[in-house]
């Protein structure tokens, strides 16, 4: 047997920085090391070519002595290069491979020989010369054993290294491929073909197998665990789990670790996986599971290549949106699950709906991390974390206010910063440094809110203010107090710490009660307009369902959508939904009580603004009283306020008699604001149909009809004191 390189020695690698590619000096060292390896194997194969031409035993001895001298010189160069790499705080990729897969010196030599044609095509010419046949220009098992072992018994014994259970084949460092024109039959005549990516790996380059590029990406992590906002205790748990997988370098051959990260889109699942990779000083190999499932081709081969790629690169394997590949209906899931079971490294599944996964995957999952919507403190950290570099912020920017005001995910916060920055650049131009104010960030945050409430509600849009609201001074004062509470709610909860102290009841629940038409709904619309918020008027018939459990689902969806939408909720005629609970005598009673219980819980947990209106508050469940911070009674308007309502409802653009007496209208017609509105519009239609302006008679006729509809007495001024 010829002399071979000494077995690779393990070198401590703690604290080595993760490099996207090798630094220029290291790249040169890796290239020089591989060049010396090629020279060494060229010497070996040339030696064997000359041995076939040797005429006597003396010639063989002379050639052998010459080879040993030349190899010793090359070995000294190789060892010097290895020492230089170690001094740079790195390890030779070949040493990593040997240690990771537990290769013996002979197995390492076979792998090196098989790699030579990938480094230098001229090596194939030397192989053909050795075989004395231009067709046999590849490394097969026969060539490897013949160059390494001097006699047949040694070669026969060495065949154990080329079985499917041995490291070279078991870890797919070599793949036996049947040659087109083989020397003979069986494994001995098969080409020993290594993955092409191994050649780049030995050169210190990070490249991805070309067959994986359509659905996988190899990159350095963009985050570390310190950049990821995790639930309390999760960080320590994760670090303890992965402590023995710290890189760089290929993963050790052992039982791997599969983590499952579950959460809604934007909650940081992929960021957590990348943070783990950053913590372990390893690259990340991200698989688009939907693209893998849809791509035409040999899925089994891709699955094998993917695992081999992650192992050789020492990469954390991330299956993004894992439902697309490991779902119950995916035909490729079984192959991938089998290959995943052979992976000795760290793999992470990011999942939105864990129930959609194949149950067979569960036995491989070591730990599951559940990520929920971030709370106020976590959102505040995320707003601070994603501030773009070089971006100027005005003095009014209050990130804590944004965190309290907008219940959005980390992904949405990141995109809000991007949107706001792009708008600032567009507004100021490329020459000026972009600056952002609080209003810019609020608009960008609102742009990220996409939850729809149209299925269960109607959005109300008004442009009125409190000045348009006609109420007695006492009630107007209460409404102003409600507006102040709504305006300062975020400040009190975040700046004054009430949000940390209070478990529930962080929102505002307001009850407006009074006769129909007294302005309850209008007041809610004006409040929303003053606050610059969307107001959604809940449609009770769309919520209540005859099917068991559907009403509760609809209620939950309304409140979750309102949180996401930063919207104000209006339950008009709330007594029809918030009814008193009753003694359970049948299943209908039980489910009715369940609906009320759920409403009570949702209102208490809701951190926004919820307004209830009713004219039958005595029918509402008593438990709502504790949850209502403001209760305002809207009285039936007195004559003076009715006159103001008559006057305020007629627009300035509308032509009217100059002598209209609004105070007299207020005295003569005992109508609420809602009925007065109907009368004014009716009079306008009458005048427009006549082609003239609104007269006193138009108003009187319309008002009289509204009184009849409402069952109210009235006084007709044009006919004296007739009642």
């Amino acid at each position: 047997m010829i002399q071979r390189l000494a077995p690779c020695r393990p070198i401590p690698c703690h604290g080595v920085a993760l490099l996207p590619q090798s630094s220029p000096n290291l790249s040169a060292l890796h290239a020089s090391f591989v060049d010396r390896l090629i020279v060494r194997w060229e010497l070996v194969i040339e030696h064997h070519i000359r041995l076939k031409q040797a005429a006597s035993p003396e010639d063989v001895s002379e050639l052998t002595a010459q080879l040993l001298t030349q190899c010793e010189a090359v070995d000294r160069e190789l060892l010097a290069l290895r020492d230089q790499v170690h001094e740079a705080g790195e390890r030779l990729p070949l040493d990593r491979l040997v240690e990771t897969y537990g290769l013996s010196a002979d197995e390492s030599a076979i792998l090196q020989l098989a790699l030579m044609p990938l480094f230098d095509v001229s090596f194939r010419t030397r192989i053909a010369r050795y075989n004395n046949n231009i067709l046999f220009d590849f490394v097969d098992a026969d060539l490897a054993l013949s160059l390494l072992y001097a006699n047949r018994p040694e070669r026969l014994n060495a065949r154990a290294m080329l079985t499917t259970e041995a490291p070279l084949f078991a870890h797919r460092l070599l793949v036996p491929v049947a040659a087109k024109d083989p020397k003979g039959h069986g494994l001995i005549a098969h080409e020993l073909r290594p993955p092409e990516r191994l050649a780049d790996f030995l050169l210190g380059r990070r490249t991805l197998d070309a067959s994986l590029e359509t659905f996988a990406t190899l990159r350095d992590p963009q985050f570390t665990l310190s950049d990821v906002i995790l639930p309390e205790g999760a960080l320590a748990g994760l670090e303890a789990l992965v402590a023995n997988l710290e890189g760089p370098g290929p993963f050790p051959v052992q039982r791997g670790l599969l983590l499952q990260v579950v959460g809604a889109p934007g909650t940081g699942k992929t960021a957590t996986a990348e943070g783990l990779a950053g913590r372990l000083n390893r690259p990340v190999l991200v698989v688009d599971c939907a693209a893998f499932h849809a791509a035409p081709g040999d899925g089994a081969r891709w699955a094998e290549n993917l695992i081999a790629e992650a192992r050789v690169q020492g990469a954390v394997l991330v299956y993004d949106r894992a439902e697309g590949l490991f779902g119950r209906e995916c035909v490729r899931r079984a192959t991938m699950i089998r290959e995943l079971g052979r992976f000795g490294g760290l793999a992470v599944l990011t999942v939105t709906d864990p129930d959609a996964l194949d149950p067979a995957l569960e036995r491989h999952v070591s730990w599951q991390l559940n990520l929920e919507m971030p709370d106020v403190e976590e959102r505040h950290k995320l707003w601070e974390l994603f501030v773009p570099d070089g971006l100027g912020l005005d003095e009014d920017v209050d990130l804590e206010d944004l965190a309290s005001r907008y219940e959005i995910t980390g992904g949405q916060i990141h995109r809000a910063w991007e949107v706001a920055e792009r708008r600032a650049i567009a507004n100021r131009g490329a020459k000026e440094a972009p600056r952002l104010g609080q209003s810019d960030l609020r608009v960008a945050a609102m742009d990220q809110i996409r939850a729809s409430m149209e299925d269960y509600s109607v959005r109300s849009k008004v442009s009125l203010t409190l000045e348009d609201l006609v109420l007695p001074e006492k009630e107007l004062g209460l409404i102003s107090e409600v507006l102040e509470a709504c305006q300062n709610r975020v400040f009190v909860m975040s700046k004054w710490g009430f949000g940390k102290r209070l478990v529930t009841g962080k929102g505002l629940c307001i009850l407006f009660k009074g006769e129909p038409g007294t302005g309850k709904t209008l007041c809610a619309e004006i409040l929303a307009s003053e606050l610059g918020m969307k107001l959604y008027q809940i449609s009770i018939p769309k919520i209540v369902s005859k099917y068991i459990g559907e009403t509760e689902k609809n209620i939950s969806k309304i409140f979750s959508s309102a949180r996401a939408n930063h919207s104000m909720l209006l339950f008009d005629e709330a007594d029809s939904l918030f009814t008193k609970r009753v003694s359970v005598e049948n299943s209908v009673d039980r489910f009715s009580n369940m609906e009320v219980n759920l409403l009570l819980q949702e209102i208490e947990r809701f951190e926004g603004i919820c307004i209830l209106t009713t004219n039958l508050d005595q029918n509402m469940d008593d438990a709502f009283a504790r949850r209502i911070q403001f209760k305002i009674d809207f009285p039936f308007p007195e004559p003076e306020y009715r006159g103001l309502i008559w006057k305020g409802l007629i627009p300035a653009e509308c032509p009217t008699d100059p002598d209209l007496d609004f105070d007299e209208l207020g005295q003569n017609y005992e109508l609420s604001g809602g009925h007065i509105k109907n009368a004014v519009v009716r009079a306008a239609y009458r005048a427009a149909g006549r082609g003239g302006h609104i007269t006193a008679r138009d108003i009187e006729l319309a008002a009289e009809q509204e009184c009849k509809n409402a069952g109210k007495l009235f006084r007709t001024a044009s006919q004296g004191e007739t009642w």
Side-chain angles (χ1 to χ4, degrees):
M1 182 174 70
I2 67 167
Q3 180 180 355
R4 291 180 297 280
L5 288 175
C8 301
R9 299 167 306 216
I11 305 295
C13 61
H14 300 291
V16 178
L18 180 63
L19 301 173
Q21 302 285 350
S22 296
S23 64
N25 289 339
L26 281 174
S27 295
L29 290 174
H30 292 324
S32 297
F33 186 86
V34 171
D35 175 68
R36 294 297 87 193
L37 276 183
I38 296 171
V39 169
R40 195 180 194 285
W41 282 106
E42 287 175 341
L43 292 172
V44 170
I45 199 165
E46 288 293 341
H47 167 73
H48 281 271
I49 292 172
R50 294 191 187 100
L51 283 182
K52 291 184 177 182
Q53 302 169 353
S56 64
E58 291 76 12
D59 292 340
V60 173
S61 298
E62 183 179 348
L63 289 171
T64 302
Q66 182 182 357
L67 174 66
L68 290 175
T69 301
Q70 293 171 328
C71 284
E72 287 173 357
V74 176
D75 286 349
R76 286 193 293 272
E77 293 179 294
L78 289 168
L79 290 172
L81 289 167
R82 177 182 279 115
D83 290 339
Q84 291 181 56
V85 172
H86 293 165
E87 289 172 3
E90 260 286 358
R91 301 177 61 197
L92 285 169
L94 178 62
D95 293 352
R96 292 178 181 171
L97 277 177
V98 169
E99 180 184 355
T100 296
Y101 298 109
L103 303 181
S104 66
D106 290 354
E107 288 168 329
S108 174
I110 293 174
L111 180 60
Q112 293 170 34
L113 176 60
L115 283 165
M116 290 303 109
L118 297 180
F119 291 123
D120 192 339
V121 176
S122 67
F123 201 83
R124 289 188 175 274
T125 304
R126 288 183 167 84
I127 296 174
R129 286 174 50 214
Y130 172 82
N131 289 318
N132 198 26
N133 189 327
I134 60 173
L135 298 177
F136 300 152
D137 63 346
F138 50 84
V139 177
D140 58 13
D142 177 64
L143 173 66
L145 297 179
S146 297
L147 294 185
L148 289 173
Y149 299 99
N151 56 64
R152 187 184 302 163
E154 288 182 342
R155 289 196 291 273
L156 292 173
N157 186 55
R159 285 171 65 100
M161 293 184 295
L162 301 177
T163 61
T164 55
E165 295 82 11
L168 290 174
F169 286 0
H171 303 304
R172 300 186 67 80
L173 297 174
L174 293 176
V175 178
V177 179
K180 292 182 180 179
D181 297 301
K183 297 177 184 177
H185 299 287
L187 176 65
I188 197 70
H190 278 53
E191 178 183 359
L192 302 180
R193 186 178 297 174
E196 190 169 349
R197 62 187 174 279
L198 274 185
D200 285 327
F201 180 77
L202 291 192
L203 288 169
R205 298 171 186 163
R206 185 179 300 158
T207 58
L208 184 64
D209 189 327
S211 68
L212 307 177
E213 290 178 347
T214 57
F215 51 80
T217 305
L218 180 67
R219 63 172 183 261
D220 282 333
Q222 301 173 1
F223 306 97
T224 64
L225 277 183
S226 61
D227 297 327
V228 183
I229 309 302
L230 295 173
E232 185 177 357
L235 179 61
L238 280 175
E239 290 191 333
L241 277 174
V242 302
N244 67 323
L245 297 173
E246 189 167 355
F251 281 111
V253 179
Q254 59 181 22
R255 177 176 172 79
L257 183 65
L258 178 61
L259 305 181
Q260 184 166 292
V261 185
V262 179
T267 50
K269 301 185 295 296
T270 305
T272 300
E274 293 201 25
L276 279 171
R279 164 64 180 82
L280 297 175
N281 198 27
R282 293 186 177 278
V284 60
L285 181 56
V286 182
V287 183
D288 185 335
C289 292
F292 186 102
H293 174 59
D298 188 353
R301 181 174 65 86
W302 291 344
E304 293 176 357
N305 291 349
L306 189 65
I307 296 299
E309 184 77 25
R311 183 183 292 127
V312 169
Q313 298 285 359
V316 175
L317 185 56
V318 179
Y319 292 94
D320 200 20
R321 295 173 293 175
E323 299 95 326
L325 180 56
F326 296 98
R328 299 169 187 266
E329 305 302 324
C330 181
V331 295
R332 290 175 172 169
R333 70 187 187 282
T335 300
M336 185 57 78
I337 291 174
R338 183 182 67 249
E339 290 298 324
L340 192 56
R342 298 171 49 200
F343 183 41
L346 173 62
V348 181
L349 307 177
T350 68
V351 182
T352 301
D353 181 13
D355 293 335
L357 298 177
D358 186 339
L361 186 65
E362 178 61 29
R363 66 187 180 91
H364 297 280
V365 176
S366 303
W367 200 55
Q368 176 170 304
L369 174 63
N370 295 308
L371 298 180
E372 299 178 350
M373 286 286 293
D375 59 23
V376 175
E377 288 188 28
E378 292 168 344
R379 290 197 297 272
H380 188 197
K381 294 177 183 177
L382 288 165
W383 277 105
E384 292 178 333
L385 175 65
F386 292 127
V387 177
D389 295 332
L391 182 65
L393 299 178
D394 292 342
E395 292 183 0
D396 68 335
V397 169
D398 187 344
L399 299 184
E400 191 173 0
D401 173 80
L402 295 171
S404 300
R405 193 176 297 275
Y406 301 103
E407 294 188 35
I408 55 179
T409 66
Q412 290 172 317
I413 292 172
H414 189 210
R415 290 191 292 274
W417 276 116
E418 290 180 343
V419 169
E421 183 182 23
R422 289 178 183 274
R423 286 177 178 160
I425 293 173
N427 292 335
R428 290 179 172 264
K431 295 182 180 180
E432 293 187 49
R435 292 191 64 83
L436 291 176
Q438 186 76 347
S439 60
D440 301 318
L441 292 173
R442 284 186 177 181
V443 171
M446 284 297 298
D447 289 342
Q448 304 307 311
I449 297 173
R450 300 178 180 89
S452 174
M453 296 185 62
E454 307 299 331
D455 291 342
Y456 305 104
S457 61
V458 177
R459 183 181 174 185
S460 176
K461 299 179 182 179
V462 298
S463 56
L464 303 177
T465 66
L466 279 182
E467 295 179 357
D468 299 301
L469 193 62
V470 179
L471 282 174
E473 186 175 344
K474 176 184 176 183
E475 282 70 25
L476 274 178
L478 292 174
I479 296 298
S480 297
E481 184 181 354
V482 168
L483 179 60
E484 288 182 355
C486 294
Q487 291 170 332
N488 294 299
R489 178 182 61 86
V490 174
F491 177 85
V492 169
M493 290 298 160
S494 60
K495 300 294 185 181
W496 285 3
F498 279 87
K500 299 177 183 178
R501 181 62 59 89
L502 301 179
V503 178
T504 58
K506 300 178 185 180
L508 283 173
C509 185
I510 305 156
L511 176 66
F512 293 162
K513 62 176 182 173
E515 293 186 35
T518 50
K520 303 182 295 298
T521 303
L522 176 64
C523 183
E525 293 172 331
I526 289 175
L527 284 175
S529 177
E530 291 277 3
L531 294 167
M533 297 178 67
K534 300 174 184 177
L535 176 68
Y536 285 96
Q537 185 172 342
I538 306 304
S539 176
I540 304 297
K542 292 182 179 180
I543 295 178
V544 179
S545 173
K546 64 181 179 180
Y547 298 105
I548 294 175
E550 284 299 310
T551 301
E552 290 86 342
K553 287 171 60 176
N554 295 340
I555 291 171
S556 296
K557 184 175 180 180
I558 285 170
F559 281 94
S560 62
S561 297
R563 290 187 192 98
N565 257 320
H566 184 58
S567 304
M568 183 186 295
L569 291 179
L570 171 61
F571 288 89
D572 216 358
E573 309 301 337
D575 50 275
S576 62
L577 189 62
F578 295 75
T579 55
K580 290 181 180 291
R581 286 169 288 187
V582 296
S583 300
V584 177
E585 297 180 359
N586 52 49
S587 60
V588 174
D589 295 338
R590 183 171 67 253
F591 286 109
S592 177
N593 288 348
M594 287 172 58
E595 294 166 8
V596 176
N597 290 338
L598 179 61
L599 276 168
L600 288 167
Q601 296 170 15
E602 290 289 355
I603 283 183
E604 194 159 34
R605 290 198 300 260
F606 185 54
E607 296 185 13
I609 302 169
C610 180
I611 298 179
L612 315 178
T613 71
T614 181
N615 54 354
L616 295 171
D617 61 306
Q618 66 274 13
N619 292 346
M620 297 179 64
D621 195 277
D622 296 336
F624 283 105
R626 180 179 60 82
R627 293 162 172 82
I628 294 173
Q629 287 91 340
F630 294 92
K631 187 181 294 185
I632 301 177
D633 195 348
F634 283 67
F636 192 88
E638 296 295 329
E640 62 175 302
Y641 295 110
R642 293 201 294 268
L644 293 174
I645 295 172
W646 278 106
K647 183 177 181 179
L649 284 175
I650 299 179
E653 299 87 349
C654 179
T656 62
D657 270 349
D659 58 349
L660 277 179
D661 190 340
F662 296 107
D663 291 334
E664 186 177 7
L665 290 173
Q667 290 287 343
N668 293 342
Y669 302 102
E670 194 175 331
L671 295 172
S672 67
H675 289 295
I676 294 174
K677 176 196 70 175
N678 294 341
V680 168
V681 173
R682 185 170 189 154
Y685 289 150
R686 181 185 180 91
R690 190 178 60 247
H693 57 274
I694 297 179
T695 65
R697 186 58 181 162
D698 293 327
I699 294 285
E700 288 175 4
L701 290 175
E704 288 172 10
Q705 190 60 48
E706 279 300 314
C707 286
K708 292 175 183 178
N709 293 341
K712 298 283 187 179
L713 295 175
F714 60 90
R715 176 185 303 171
T716 304
S718 61
Q719 297 180 7
E721 295 296 319
T722 303
W723 291 85

